[in-house]
Amino acid sequence: MTEKPFWKTKTLAEMSNAEWESLCDGCGLCCLNKLEDWETGEVVFTSVACKLLDGDSCRCSDYENRQATVPDCIQLTLQGLREIQWLPPTCGYRLVDEGLDLYWWHPLVSGDPETVHQAGISARGRTISEEGLDVEDLEDYVVDWPMRVGEERR
């Protein structure tokens, strides 16, 4: 009999740091710039990525120092996870917290970090860097695909 994977037996609060970190599927969607309507609170994604996002791997190019380099970079915590409404529906943290299983393409399930890209879930090939972009132009890059990824893929 095989042992169940940790994300099916532990709560997020019970996970080790290594287990917590491994729930990130490497999609890069949380590293996209977002705009919030101050009156309604509605958040929309743009195709403009953080300057630290590596567009090929969809991973942070300076993960250990990201918050020093990008002060508004969000360190995802259990409390923050429950307060952040814009996490994509495919987010491993969100799924596990809601008692759902990870998708087939998640690296913990597939054993391959490329499946998130092969399944078309990631930001790979869909973004531009924020470097040199005027913040006033962000509205020109609003997209809805980050909140639609994974539809009908379960």
Side-chain angles (χ1 to χ4, degrees), residues 83-152:
E83 293 172 1
I84 297 172
Q85 300 301 310
W86 50 258
L87 286 172
T90 56
C91 176
Y93 298 100
R94 176 185 231 178
L95 293 170
V96 170
D97 194 47
E98 293 173 358
L100 302 172
D101 200 2
L102 301 176
Y103 285 86
W104 66 267
W105 45 258
H106 192 288
L108 287 173
V109 177
S110 70
D112 183 354
E114 284 299 306
T115 53
V116 67
H117 309 299
Q118 293 164 353
I121 303 305
S122 77
R124 181 183 278 173
R126 301 181 185 196
T127 65
I128 64 166
S129 175
E130 67 186 359
E131 289 263 85
L133 190 70
D134 188 337
V135 71
E136 298 295 321
D137 294 333
L138 280 176
E139 290 180 351
D140 297 337
Y141 296 92
V142 170
V143 293
D144 67 348
W145 53 262
M147 292 307 282
R148 290 188 295 112
V149 293
E151 287 180 353
E152 300 179 28

Coordinates of all heavy atoms in Angstrom, one line a residue, residues 83-152:
E83 N -6.7 35.8 2.6 CA -7.1 37.2 2.4 C -7.0 37.6 0.9 O -7.6 38.5 0.5 CB -6.3 38.1 3.3 CG -6.5 37.9 4.8 CD -5.6 38.7 5.6 OE1 -4.7 39.4 5.1 OE2 -5.7 38.6 6.9
I84 N -6.1 36.9 0.2 CA -5.8 37.3 -1.2 C -6.9 36.7 -2.1 O -6.9 35.4 -2.2 CB -4.4 36.9 -1.6 CG1 -3.4 37.6 -0.8 CG2 -4.2 37.1 -3.1 CD1 -2.0 37.1 -1.0
Q85 N -7.7 37.5 -2.7 CA -8.8 37.0 -3.6 C -8.3 36.7 -5.0 O -9.0 36.1 -5.7 CB -9.9 38.0 -3.5 CG -10.5 38.2 -2.2 CD -11.0 36.9 -1.5 OE1 -11.8 36.2 -2.1 NE2 -10.6 36.6 -0.3
W86 N -7.2 37.2 -5.4 CA -6.8 37.1 -6.8 C -5.9 35.9 -7.1 O -5.5 35.8 -8.3 CB -6.0 38.4 -7.2 CG -4.9 38.8 -6.3 CD1 -5.0 39.9 -5.4 CD2 -3.6 38.3 -6.3 NE1 -3.8 40.0 -4.8 CE2 -2.9 39.0 -5.3 CE3 -2.9 37.3 -6.9 CZ2 -1.6 38.8 -5.0 CZ3 -1.6 37.0 -6.6 CH2 -1.0 37.8 -5.6
L87 N -5.6 35.0 -6.2 CA -4.9 33.9 -6.5 C -5.6 33.1 -7.6 O -6.8 32.9 -7.5 CB -4.6 33.0 -5.3 CG -3.6 33.5 -4.3 CD1 -3.5 32.6 -3.1 CD2 -2.2 33.6 -5.0
P88 N -4.9 32.6 -8.6 CA -5.6 31.9 -9.7 C -6.3 30.6 -9.2 O -5.9 30.0 -8.2 CB -4.6 31.5 -10.7 CG -3.3 31.7 -10.0 CD -3.5 32.7 -8.9
P89 N -7.4 30.2 -9.8 CA -8.1 29.0 -9.4 C -7.3 27.7 -9.4 O -7.6 26.7 -8.7 CB -9.3 28.9 -10.4 CG -8.9 29.7 -11.6 CD -7.9 30.7 -11.1
T90 N -6.2 27.7 -10.1 CA -5.3 26.5 -10.1 C -4.2 26.5 -9.1 O -3.4 25.6 -9.0 CB -4.6 26.5 -11.5 OG1 -3.9 27.7 -11.7 CG2 -5.6 26.2 -12.6
C91 N -4.1 27.6 -8.3 CA -3.0 27.7 -7.3 C -3.1 26.5 -6.3 O -4.1 26.3 -5.7 CB -3.2 29.0 -6.5 SG -2.0 29.2 -5.2
G92 N -1.9 25.9 -6.2 CA -1.8 24.7 -5.3 C -2.1 25.1 -3.8 O -2.8 24.3 -3.1
Y93 N -1.7 26.2 -3.4 CA -2.0 26.6 -2.0 C -3.5 26.8 -1.8 O -4.1 26.3 -0.8 CB -1.3 28.0 -1.7 CG 0.2 27.9 -1.8 CD1 0.8 28.4 -2.9 CD2 0.9 27.4 -0.8 CE1 2.2 28.3 -3.0 CE2 2.3 27.3 -0.8 CZ 2.9 27.8 -2.0 OH 4.3 27.7 -2.1
R94 N -4.2 27.4 -2.8 CA -5.6 27.6 -2.7 C -6.3 26.3 -2.7 O -7.2 26.0 -1.9 CB -6.0 28.5 -3.9 CG -7.5 28.7 -4.0 CD -7.8 29.5 -5.3 NE -8.7 30.6 -4.9 CZ -9.1 31.5 -5.7 NH1 -8.8 31.4 -7.0 NH2 -9.9 32.4 -5.3
L95 N -6.0 25.4 -3.6 CA -6.6 24.1 -3.8 C -6.5 23.3 -2.5 O -7.5 22.7 -2.0 CB -6.0 23.3 -4.9 CG -6.3 23.9 -6.3 CD1 -5.4 23.2 -7.4 CD2 -7.8 23.8 -6.7
V96 N -5.3 23.2 -2.0 CA -5.1 22.4 -0.7 C -5.9 23.0 0.4 O -6.5 22.3 1.2 CB -3.6 22.2 -0.4 CG1 -3.4 21.6 1.0 CG2 -2.9 21.4 -1.5
D97 N -5.8 24.3 0.5 CA -6.6 25.0 1.6 C -8.1 24.7 1.5 O -8.8 24.6 2.5 CB -6.3 26.5 1.6 CG -6.7 27.2 2.9 OD1 -6.4 26.6 4.0 OD2 -7.4 28.2 2.8
E98 N -8.6 24.6 0.3 CA -10.0 24.3 0.1 C -10.3 22.8 0.1 O -11.5 22.4 -0.1 CB -10.4 24.9 -1.2 CG -10.4 26.4 -1.2 CD -10.7 27.1 -2.6 OE1 -10.9 26.3 -3.6 OE2 -10.7 28.3 -2.7
G99 N -9.3 22.0 0.4 CA -9.6 20.5 0.5 C -9.7 19.8 -0.8 O -10.2 18.7 -0.9
L100 N -9.2 20.5 -1.8 CA -9.2 19.9 -3.2 C -7.8 19.3 -3.5 O -6.8 19.7 -2.9 CB -9.6 21.0 -4.2 CG -10.9 21.7 -4.0 CD1 -11.1 22.9 -4.9 CD2 -12.0 20.7 -4.1
D101 N -7.8 18.5 -4.5 CA -6.5 17.9 -4.9 C -5.8 18.7 -6.0 O -6.5 19.6 -6.6 CB -6.8 16.5 -5.5 CG -5.5 15.6 -5.5 OD1 -4.5 16.0 -5.0 OD2 -5.6 14.5 -6.0
L102 N -4.6 18.5 -6.1 CA -3.8 19.2 -7.1 C -4.1 18.7 -8.5 O -4.5 17.6 -8.7 CB -2.3 19.1 -6.9 CG -1.8 19.5 -5.5 CD1 -0.3 19.2 -5.4 CD2 -2.0 21.0 -5.3
Y103 N -3.9 19.5 -9.5 CA -4.2 19.1 -10.9 C -3.1 18.1 -11.4 O -2.0 18.1 -10.8 CB -4.1 20.4 -11.8 CG -5.3 21.3 -11.8 CD1 -5.4 22.3 -10.8 CD2 -6.4 21.1 -12.7 CE1 -6.5 23.1 -10.7 CE2 -7.5 21.9 -12.6 CZ -7.6 22.9 -11.6 OH -8.7 23.7 -11.6
W104 N -3.4 17.4 -12.4 CA -2.5 16.4 -12.9 C -1.2 16.9 -13.4 O -0.2 16.3 -13.3 CB -3.2 15.6 -14.1 CG -3.4 16.5 -15.3 CD1 -4.5 17.2 -15.6 CD2 -2.5 16.8 -16.4 NE1 -4.4 18.0 -16.8 CE2 -3.1 17.7 -17.3 CE3 -1.2 16.4 -16.6 CZ2 -2.5 18.2 -18.4 CZ3 -0.5 17.0 -17.8 CH2 -1.2 17.8 -18.7
W105 N -1.2 18.2 -13.8 CA 0.1 18.8 -14.3 C 0.9 19.4 -13.2 O 2.0 19.9 -13.5 CB -0.3 19.9 -15.4 CG -1.4 20.8 -15.0 CD1 -2.7 20.7 -15.4 CD2 -1.4 21.9 -14.0 NE1 -3.5 21.7 -14.7 CE2 -2.6 22.4 -13.9 CE3 -0.3 22.4 -13.3 CZ2 -2.9 23.5 -13.1 CZ3 -0.6 23.5 -12.5 CH2 -1.9 24.0 -12.4
H106 N 0.5 19.5 -12.0 CA 1.3 20.1 -10.9 C 2.5 19.2 -10.8 O 2.4 18.0 -10.8 CB 0.5 20.1 -9.6 CG 1.1 20.9 -8.5 ND1 2.3 20.5 -7.9 CD2 0.8 22.1 -8.0 CE1 2.7 21.4 -7.0 NE2 1.8 22.4 -7.1
P107 N 3.7 19.8 -10.7 CA 4.9 19.1 -10.5 C 5.0 18.0 -9.4 O 5.6 17.0 -9.6 CB 6.0 20.1 -10.3 CG 5.4 21.4 -11.0 CD 3.9 21.3 -10.7
L108 N 4.2 18.2 -8.4 CA 4.2 17.2 -7.3 C 3.4 16.0 -7.7 O 3.7 14.9 -7.2 CB 3.5 17.8 -6.0 CG 4.4 18.8 -5.2 CD1 3.6 19.4 -4.1 CD2 5.7 18.1 -4.7
V109 N 2.5 16.2 -8.6 CA 1.7 15.0 -9.2 C 2.4 14.4 -10.3 O 2.6 13.2 -10.4 CB 0.3 15.5 -9.5 CG1 -0.5 14.3 -10.1 CG2 -0.4 16.1 -8.3
S110 N 2.8 15.2 -11.3 CA 3.4 14.7 -12.5 C 4.9 14.3 -12.4 O 5.4 13.5 -13.1 CB 3.3 15.8 -13.6 OG 4.2 16.8 -13.3
G111 N 5.6 14.9 -11.4 CA 7.0 14.6 -11.2 C 7.9 15.4 -12.2 O 9.1 15.2 -12.2
D112 N 7.2 16.3 -12.9 CA 8.0 17.1 -14.0 C 7.6 18.6 -13.9 O 6.4 18.9 -14.1 CB 7.6 16.5 -15.3 CG 8.4 17.2 -16.5 OD1 9.1 18.2 -16.3 OD2 8.2 16.7 -17.6
P113 N 8.5 19.5 -13.6 CA 8.2 20.9 -13.6 C 7.8 21.5 -14.9 O 7.2 22.6 -15.0 CB 9.5 21.6 -13.1 CG 10.6 20.6 -13.4 CD 9.9 19.2 -13.3
E114 N 7.9 20.8 -16.0 CA 7.5 21.3 -17.3 C 6.0 21.1 -17.6 O 5.5 21.8 -18.5 CB 8.3 20.6 -18.4 CG 9.7 21.2 -18.5 CD 9.8 22.6 -18.9 OE1 9.2 23.0 -19.9 OE2 10.4 23.4 -18.1
T115 N 5.3 20.2 -16.9 CA 3.9 19.9 -17.2 C 3.0 21.1 -17.0 O 2.0 21.3 -17.7 CB 3.4 18.7 -16.5 OG1 3.6 18.9 -15.1 CG2 4.0 17.4 -17.0
V116 N 3.4 22.0 -16.1 CA 2.5 23.2 -15.9 C 2.6 24.1 -17.1 O 1.6 24.7 -17.5 CB 3.0 24.0 -14.6 CG1 4.3 24.6 -14.8 CG2 2.0 25.1 -14.3
H117 N 3.7 24.1 -17.8 CA 3.8 24.8 -19.1 C 3.2 24.1 -20.2 O 2.5 24.7 -21.1 CB 5.3 25.1 -19.3 CG 6.0 25.7 -18.2 ND1 5.7 26.9 -17.6 CD2 7.1 25.2 -17.4 CE1 6.5 27.2 -16.6 NE2 7.3 26.2 -16.5
Q118 N 3.4 22.8 -20.3 CA 2.9 22.0 -21.4 C 1.4 22.0 -21.4 O 0.7 22.0 -22.4 CB 3.4 20.5 -21.3 CG 4.9 20.4 -21.5 CD 5.5 19.1 -21.1 OE1 4.8 18.3 -20.4 NE2 6.7 18.9 -21.4
A119 N 0.8 22.1 -20.2 CA -0.7 22.2 -20.1 C -1.3 23.5 -20.4 O -2.5 23.7 -20.4 CB -1.1 21.7 -18.6
G120 N -0.4 24.5 -20.6 CA -0.9 25.9 -20.9 C -1.4 26.7 -19.7 O -2.1 27.6 -19.9
I121 N -0.9 26.3 -18.5 CA -1.4 26.9 -17.3 C -0.5 28.1 -17.0 O -1.0 29.1 -16.4 CB -1.4 25.9 -16.2 CG1 -2.2 24.7 -16.5 CG2 -1.8 26.6 -14.9 CD1 -3.7 25.0 -16.9
S122 N 0.7 28.1 -17.3 CA 1.7 29.1 -16.9 C 1.6 30.4 -17.7 O 1.0 30.5 -18.7 CB 3.1 28.5 -16.9 OG 3.6 28.5 -18.2
A123 N 2.4 31.4 -17.2 CA 2.6 32.6 -17.9 C 3.6 32.6 -19.0 O 3.8 33.6 -19.7 CB 3.0 33.7 -16.8
R124 N 4.3 31.5 -19.2 CA 5.3 31.3 -20.2 C 4.9 31.8 -21.5 O 3.8 31.3 -22.0 CB 5.8 29.9 -20.2 CG 7.0 29.7 -21.3 CD 7.4 28.3 -21.4 NE 8.3 27.9 -20.3 CZ 8.7 26.7 -20.1 NH1 8.3 25.7 -20.9 NH2 9.6 26.4 -19.1
G125 N 5.6 32.7 -22.1 CA 5.3 33.2 -23.4 C 4.2 34.2 -23.5 O 3.8 34.6 -24.6
R126 N 3.6 34.6 -22.4 CA 2.4 35.5 -22.4 C 2.7 36.9 -21.8 O 1.7 37.6 -21.7 CB 1.3 34.8 -21.6 CG 0.9 33.5 -22.1 CD -0.3 33.0 -21.2 NE -0.7 31.7 -21.6 CZ -1.8 31.1 -21.2 NH1 -2.7 31.8 -20.4 NH2 -2.1 29.9 -21.5
T127 N 3.9 37.1 -21.4 CA 4.1 38.3 -20.6 C 5.2 39.2 -21.2 O 6.0 38.8 -22.1 CB 4.6 38.0 -19.2 OG1 5.8 37.3 -19.2 CG2 3.5 37.1 -18.5
I128 N 5.2 40.5 -20.7 CA 6.3 41.4 -20.9 C 6.8 41.8 -19.6 O 6.0 41.8 -18.6 CB 5.9 42.6 -21.8 CG1 4.8 43.4 -21.1 CG2 5.4 42.2 -23.2 CD1 4.6 44.8 -21.7
S129 N 8.0 42.3 -19.5 CA 8.6 42.7 -18.2 C 8.1 44.1 -17.9 O 7.9 44.9 -18.8 CB 10.1 42.7 -18.3 OG 10.6 43.2 -17.1
E130 N 8.0 44.4 -16.6 CA 7.7 45.8 -16.2 C 8.8 46.7 -16.4 O 8.6 48.0 -16.3 CB 7.2 45.7 -14.7 CG 8.3 45.4 -13.8 CD 7.8 45.2 -12.3 OE1 6.6 45.4 -12.0 OE2 8.7 44.9 -11.5
E131 N 10.0 46.2 -16.6 CA 11.2 47.1 -16.7 C 11.0 48.1 -17.9 O 10.7 47.7 -19.0 CB 12.4 46.2 -17.0 CG 12.9 45.4 -15.8 CD 14.0 46.1 -15.1 OE1 13.7 46.9 -14.2 OE2 15.2 45.7 -15.4
G132 N 11.1 49.3 -17.6 CA 11.0 50.4 -18.6 C 9.5 50.7 -19.0 O 9.3 51.6 -19.8
L133 N 8.6 50.1 -18.4 CA 7.2 50.3 -18.7 C 6.6 51.4 -17.8 O 6.8 51.3 -16.5 CB 6.4 49.0 -18.6 CG 4.9 49.1 -19.1 CD1 4.9 49.2 -20.6 CD2 4.2 47.8 -18.7
D134 N 5.9 52.3 -18.3 CA 5.3 53.4 -17.5 C 4.1 52.8 -16.8 O 3.2 52.2 -17.4 CB 4.9 54.6 -18.3 CG 4.4 55.8 -17.6 OD1 4.0 55.6 -16.4 OD2 4.5 56.9 -18.1
V135 N 4.0 52.9 -15.5 CA 2.9 52.4 -14.7 C 1.5 52.9 -15.2 O 0.5 52.2 -15.1 CB 3.1 52.7 -13.2 CG1 2.8 54.2 -12.9 CG2 2.1 51.8 -12.4
E136 N 1.5 54.0 -15.8 CA 0.3 54.6 -16.4 C -0.2 53.7 -17.6 O -1.4 53.8 -17.9 CB 0.5 56.0 -16.9 CG 0.9 57.0 -15.8 CD -0.2 57.2 -14.7 OE1 -1.4 57.2 -15.1 OE2 0.1 57.3 -13.5
D137 N 0.7 52.9 -18.2 CA 0.3 52.1 -19.3 C -0.2 50.7 -19.0 O -0.6 50.0 -19.8 CB 1.5 52.0 -20.3 CG 1.9 53.3 -20.9 OD1 1.0 54.2 -21.1 OD2 3.1 53.4 -21.2
L138 N -0.2 50.4 -17.7 CA -0.6 49.1 -17.3 C -2.0 48.7 -17.7 O -2.3 47.6 -18.1 CB -0.6 48.9 -15.7 CG 0.8 48.6 -15.2 CD1 0.8 48.6 -13.6 CD2 1.4 47.3 -15.7
E139 N -2.9 49.7 -17.8 CA -4.3 49.4 -18.2 C -4.4 48.9 -19.6 O -5.3 48.2 -20.0 CB -5.1 50.7 -18.1 CG -5.4 51.1 -16.7 CD -6.3 52.4 -16.6 OE1 -6.5 53.1 -17.6 OE2 -6.7 52.7 -15.4
D140 N -3.4 49.2 -20.4 CA -3.3 48.7 -21.8 C -3.0 47.2 -21.9 O -3.1 46.6 -23.0 CB -2.3 49.4 -22.6 CG -2.6 50.9 -22.8 OD1 -3.8 51.3 -22.6 OD2 -1.6 51.7 -23.0
Y141 N -2.6 46.6 -20.8 CA -2.2 45.2 -20.8 C -3.1 44.3 -19.9 O -2.7 43.2 -19.5 CB -0.8 45.1 -20.2 CG 0.2 45.8 -21.2 CD1 0.6 47.1 -21.0 CD2 0.8 45.1 -22.2 CE1 1.4 47.8 -21.8 CE2 1.7 45.7 -23.1 CZ 2.0 47.1 -22.9 OH 2.9 47.7 -23.7
V142 N -4.3 44.7 -19.6 CA -5.3 43.9 -18.8 C -5.6 42.7 -19.6 O -5.9 42.7 -20.8 CB -6.5 44.7 -18.5 CG1 -7.6 43.9 -17.8 CG2 -6.2 45.9 -17.5
V143 N -5.6 41.5 -18.9 CA -5.9 40.2 -19.5 C -6.8 39.4 -18.5 O -6.8 39.7 -17.3 CB -4.7 39.4 -19.8 CG1 -3.9 40.0 -20.9 CG2 -3.8 39.2 -18.6
D144 N -7.6 38.5 -19.0 CA -8.4 37.7 -18.1 C -8.0 36.3 -18.0 O -8.5 35.5 -17.2 CB -9.9 37.8 -18.5 CG -10.2 37.1 -19.8 OD1 -9.2 36.8 -20.6 OD2 -11.4 36.9 -20.1
W145 N -7.0 35.8 -18.8 CA -6.6 34.4 -18.8 C -6.1 33.9 -17.5 O -6.2 32.7 -17.2 CB -5.7 34.1 -20.0 CG -4.5 35.0 -20.1 CD1 -4.3 36.0 -21.0 CD2 -3.2 34.8 -19.4 NE1 -3.0 36.6 -20.8 CE2 -2.4 35.8 -19.9 CE3 -2.7 33.9 -18.5 CZ2 -1.1 36.0 -19.4 CZ3 -1.5 34.1 -18.0 CH2 -0.6 35.1 -18.5
P146 N -5.4 34.7 -16.7 CA -4.9 34.1 -15.4 C -6.1 33.5 -14.5 O -5.8 32.6 -13.8 CB -4.2 35.3 -14.7 CG -3.8 36.1 -15.8 CD -4.9 36.1 -16.8
M147 N -7.2 34.1 -14.6 CA -8.3 33.6 -13.8 C -9.1 32.5 -14.5 O -10.1 31.9 -13.9 CB -9.2 34.7 -13.3 CG -8.6 35.7 -12.4 SD -7.8 34.9 -10.9 CE -9.3 34.6 -9.9
R148 N -8.8 32.2 -15.7 CA -9.5 31.2 -16.5 C -8.6 29.9 -16.7 O -9.1 28.9 -17.2 CB -9.9 31.7 -17.9 CG -11.0 32.8 -17.8 CD -11.6 33.1 -19.2 NE -10.6 33.8 -20.0 CZ -10.0 33.3 -21.1 NH1 -10.3 32.1 -21.5 NH2 -9.1 34.0 -21.8
V149 N -7.4 30.0 -16.4 CA -6.5 28.8 -16.6 C -7.0 27.6 -15.8 O -7.6 27.8 -14.7 CB -5.0 29.1 -16.2 CG1 -4.4 30.1 -17.1 CG2 -4.9 29.5 -14.7
G150 N -7.0 26.5 -16.4 CA -7.4 25.3 -15.7 C -8.9 25.0 -15.9 O -9.3 23.9 -15.5
E151 N -9.6 25.9 -16.6 CA -11.1 25.6 -16.8 C -11.2 24.4 -17.6 O -10.5 24.2 -18.6 CB -11.7 26.8 -17.5 CG -11.9 28.0 -16.6 CD -12.6 29.2 -17.4 OE1 -12.8 29.1 -18.6 OE2 -12.9 30.2 -16.7
E152 N -12.1 23.5 -17.2 CA -12.4 22.2 -17.8 C -11.1 21.4 -18.0 O -11.0 20.6 -18.9 CB -13.0 22.5 -19.2 CG -14.3 23.3 -19.1 CD -14.9 23.6 -20.4 OE1 -14.7 22.8 -21.4 OE2 -15.6 24.6 -20.5

